[in-house]
């Protein structure tokens, strides 16, 4: 499990993260939800140790960060990570020579799964196909945890459906998955846990099936409660008048 | 096949409802092999842990059984299936009765309407027998 313990981040005086606590268990899909700029990507960067925290601790299977962690966690960012001149197969070879955990067979399978042509140059690909290449490169690593930054943003509906199939497939089986998103429709039925953030803080963390069972609410209902506490009163008021 | 799930009810219960419908309409036959949990998760695009939960509940109720390293199968207990069917009809009747109970209408008129409705339909998998 990945544990974040009282994580703070400041840029000068600006607080980006203000005491973040949560865990990413194995075998579950967790999602960090919040509008742009609340610190979701910063959290992923911290987990990967790409930027230092101001205060607090991040443990991966009980260990503090060390280079071996990169064999345990893979990070799939929302922008192209390969050189635009590369062909897909060159990017795959590059990953294969860099990571011992590269699973060549799975990478080849995913080319079919995503219907990608490995001779295509990265710079000629659509945004949706660049996202698929990123997923391929990240998911072909034999790791225990996968972090994905906004896997659905700015991507057409059919590609989104294809990407959402990743989460019900063997590709993430038994792994601890953490995705950030502000598009809820895609993930409502896919995730185990939702973590709602605003302004560097966690406002609410819950198991989505449990909330449906105990409160009869969807993720979006809980978001309404948390982010706009008066919306309920307004809609009841209008309903009473009729 | 993409079944539309409701976002506010637990998905595992909606999945059990789906299996109930298949079972009572004989679309799942006694002893028939079920698709794997992962296959169902993929088909419906829902969380695999949720599918697992529905399967556990259905095993608990003995609707399905799983031998080690084999796909799950539909129960062969015909008495149990008969009971599930009866419960299903009882629930439907409850809904029907409660939705018309405020209406001023005679029992004879209601049965006449039910008969009429029945005669319009053709049931491939059995249907209501006299």
């Amino acid at each position: 499990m990945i544990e974040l313990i009282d994580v703070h981040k400041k840029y000068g005086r600006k607080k980006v993260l203000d005491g973040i606590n949560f865990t990413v268990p194995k075998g579950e899909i967790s999602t960090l939800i919040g509008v742009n700029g609340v610190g979701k990507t910063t959290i992923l960067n911290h987990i990967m140790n790409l930027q230092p925290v101001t205060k607090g601790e991040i443990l991966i299977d009980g260990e503090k960060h060390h280079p071996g962690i990169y064999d345990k966690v893979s990070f799939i960012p929302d922008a192209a990570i390969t050189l635009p001149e590369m062909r897909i197969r060159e990017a795959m070879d590059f990953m294969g020579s860099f990571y011992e955990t590269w699973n060549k067979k799975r990478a080849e399978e995913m080319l079919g799964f995503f219907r990608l042509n490995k001779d295509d140059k990265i710079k000629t690909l659509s945004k949706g196909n660049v996202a698929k290449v990123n997923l391929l490169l990240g998911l072909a690593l034999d790791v225990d945890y996968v972090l994905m930054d906004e896997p659905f943003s700015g991507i057409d509906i059919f590609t989104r459906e294809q990407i959402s199939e990743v989460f019900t497939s063997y590709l993430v089986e038994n792994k601890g998955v953490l995705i950030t998103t502000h598009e809820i429709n895609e993930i409502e039925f896919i995730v185990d846990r939702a973590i709602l953030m605003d302004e560097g803080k966690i406002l609410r963390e819950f198991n989505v099936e449990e909330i449906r069972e105990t409160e009869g609410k969807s993720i979006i209902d809980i978001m309404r409660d948390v982010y706009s506490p008066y919306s309920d009163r307004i809609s009841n008021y209008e309903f009473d008048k009729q | 096949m993409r079944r539309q799930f409701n976002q506010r009810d637990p998905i595992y219960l909606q999945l059990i409802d789906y299996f109930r419908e298949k079972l009572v309409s004989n679309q799942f036959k006694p002893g028939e092999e079920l698709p794997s949990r992962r296959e169902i998760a993929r088909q419906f695009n829902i969380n695999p842990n949720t599918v697992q939960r529905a399967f556990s509940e259905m095993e608990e109720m003995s609707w399905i059984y799983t031998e080690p390293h084999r796909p799950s199968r539909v129960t062969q207990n015909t008495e149990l299936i008969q009971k599930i069917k009866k419960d299903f009809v009882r629930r439907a009747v409850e809904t029907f009765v409660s939705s018309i109970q405020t209406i001023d209408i005679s029992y004879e008129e209601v049965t006449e309407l039910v008969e009429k409705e029945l005669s319009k339909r053709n049931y491939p998998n059995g249907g209501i027998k006299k």
Side-chain angles (χ1 to χ4, degrees):
Chain A
M1 125 177 113
I2 300 176
E3 291 166 272
L4 285 88
I5 305 158
D6 195 30
V7 171
H8 287 73
K9 179 65 178 176
K10 273 187 198 170
Y11 290 118
R13 285 200 172 166
K14 188 175 159 44
K15 277 185 191 168
V16 184
L17 299 178
D18 190 10
I20 297 288
N21 292 284
F22 72 89
T23 58
V24 181
K26 262 187 150 187
E28 286 189 12
I29 302 168
S30 305
T31 177
L32 263 178
I33 298 171
V35 295
N36 292 325
V38 296
K40 301 189 300 282
T41 304
T42 307
I43 288 178
L44 299 188
N45 286 337
H46 283 324
I47 295 174
M48 294 311 281
N49 203 22
L50 300 175
Q51 49 189 148
V53 300
T54 308
K55 192 184 138 194
E57 209 169 39
I58 295 171
L59 301 177
I60 292 157
D61 290 337
E63 292 177 303
K64 283 198 184 179
H65 214 283
H66 60 85
I69 292 296
Y70 294 115
D71 292 335
K72 272 195 171 178
V73 189
S74 85
F75 179 34
I76 303 169
D78 73 338
I81 45 174
T82 43
L83 294 170
E85 284 299 324
M86 275 186 169
R87 293 176 195 281
I88 295 177
R89 64 177 154 77
E90 290 165 341
M92 289 165 68
D93 290 344
F94 182 79
M95 289 292 283
S97 61
F98 201 85
Y99 288 99
E100 271 184 28
T101 51
W102 180 255
N103 183 330
K104 193 170 179 220
K105 186 169 159 272
R106 177 134 31 90
E108 295 285 339
E109 281 168 13
M110 267 189 284
L111 281 173
F113 184 93
F114 286 135
R115 280 166 246 155
L116 291 167
N117 178 358
K118 62 180 173 182
D119 292 320
D120 284 349
K121 278 194 176 173
I122 308 279
K123 68 173 179 187
T124 66
L125 298 177
S126 66
K127 192 166 179 202
N129 280 343
V130 169
K132 288 193 229 169
V133 170
N134 279 357
L135 280 167
L136 185 153
L137 299 178
L139 291 169
L141 297 172
D142 278 325
V143 290
D144 296 332
Y145 302 97
V146 181
L147 315 178
M148 297 186 205
D149 199 10
E150 299 282 356
F152 302 106
S153 90
I155 287 165
D156 68 86
I157 170 82
F158 299 112
T159 308
R160 286 211 298 261
E161 282 187 357
Q162 238 183 327
I163 290 175
S164 80
E165 274 183 35
V166 164
F167 299 100
T168 56
S169 74
Y170 71 97
L171 294 168
V172 298
E173 195 170 9
N174 300 326
K175 292 180 182 175
V177 179
L178 178 64
I179 54 182
T180 68
T181 189
H182 55 262
E183 287 166 75
I184 312 305
N185 288 334
E186 259 61 42
I187 52 117
E188 184 90 53
F189 300 130
I190 287 173
V191 300
D192 293 276
R193 280 159 12 99
I195 302 154
L196 305 189
M197 281 189 72
D198 202 14
E199 294 180 348
K201 287 195 164 97
I202 288 174
L203 302 181
R204 182 123 184 223
E205 187 185 348
F206 56 93
N207 177 301
V208 295
E209 274 283 89
E210 216 170 279
I211 278 292
R212 289 187 196 110
E213 188 144 35
T214 56
E215 299 188 27
K217 285 181 174 174
S218 66
I219 298 180
I220 293 180
D221 292 333
I222 299 289
M223 287 173 70
R224 264 190 213 110
D225 292 353
V226 167
Y227 293 116
S228 59
Y230 300 110
S231 66
D232 222 28
R233 202 182 297 169
I234 293 166
S235 57
N236 283 343
Y237 172 72
E238 283 176 0
F239 188 72
D240 285 344
K241 271 204 307 195
Q242 284 173 355
Chain B
M1 174 178 52
R2 281 226 167 167
R3 185 180 170 94
Q4 220 43 56
F5 286 103
N6 170 346
Q7 300 174 351
R8 293 189 170 122
D9 292 315
I11 310 303
Y12 82 94
L13 290 180
Q14 297 182 60
L15 196 59
I16 292 174
D17 283 341
Y18 168 79
F19 280 103
R20 192 196 322 271
E21 280 167 32
K22 289 278 182 190
L23 200 65
V24 297
S25 61
N26 290 344
Q27 289 178 68
F28 281 156
K29 308 255 184 314
E32 188 176 324
E33 259 181 31
L34 292 171
S36 73
R37 291 148 168 80
R38 186 151 297 281
E39 178 56 26
I40 290 171
R42 198 193 58 77
Q43 253 181 31
F44 292 115
N45 205 32
I46 54 177
N47 186 299
N49 294 332
T50 306
V51 180
Q52 176 55 40
R53 170 112 191 250
F55 269 63
S56 303
E57 298 274 332
M58 290 192 292
E59 271 170 359
E60 189 87 351
M61 298 185 288
S62 304
W63 292 11
I64 62 169
Y65 64 96
T66 315
E67 286 160 359
H69 311 296
R70 306 272 309 169
S72 298
R73 289 172 180 276
V74 178
T75 181
Q76 311 210 27
N77 180 344
T78 45
E79 236 169 76
L80 176 66
I81 295 176
Q82 214 45 47
K83 189 180 166 295
I84 299 168
K85 286 184 184 174
K86 210 168 168 186
D87 282 347
F88 185 86
V89 174
R90 187 177 45 74
R91 274 162 63 163
V93 170
E94 271 171 19
T95 313
F96 168 62
V97 170
S98 77
S99 67
I100 63 163
Q101 67 183 353
T102 56
I103 314 293
D104 177 23
I105 189 170
S106 77
Y107 180 77
E108 284 68 32
E109 279 173 283
V110 173
T111 47
E112 194 183 311
L113 285 168
V114 171
E115 294 263 351
K116 214 175 187 177
E117 192 59 37
L118 283 172
S119 68
K120 276 197 250 168
R121 288 161 198 267
N122 182 20
Y123 297 88
N125 292 311
I128 300 173
K129 297 175 191 81
K130 281 240 173 185

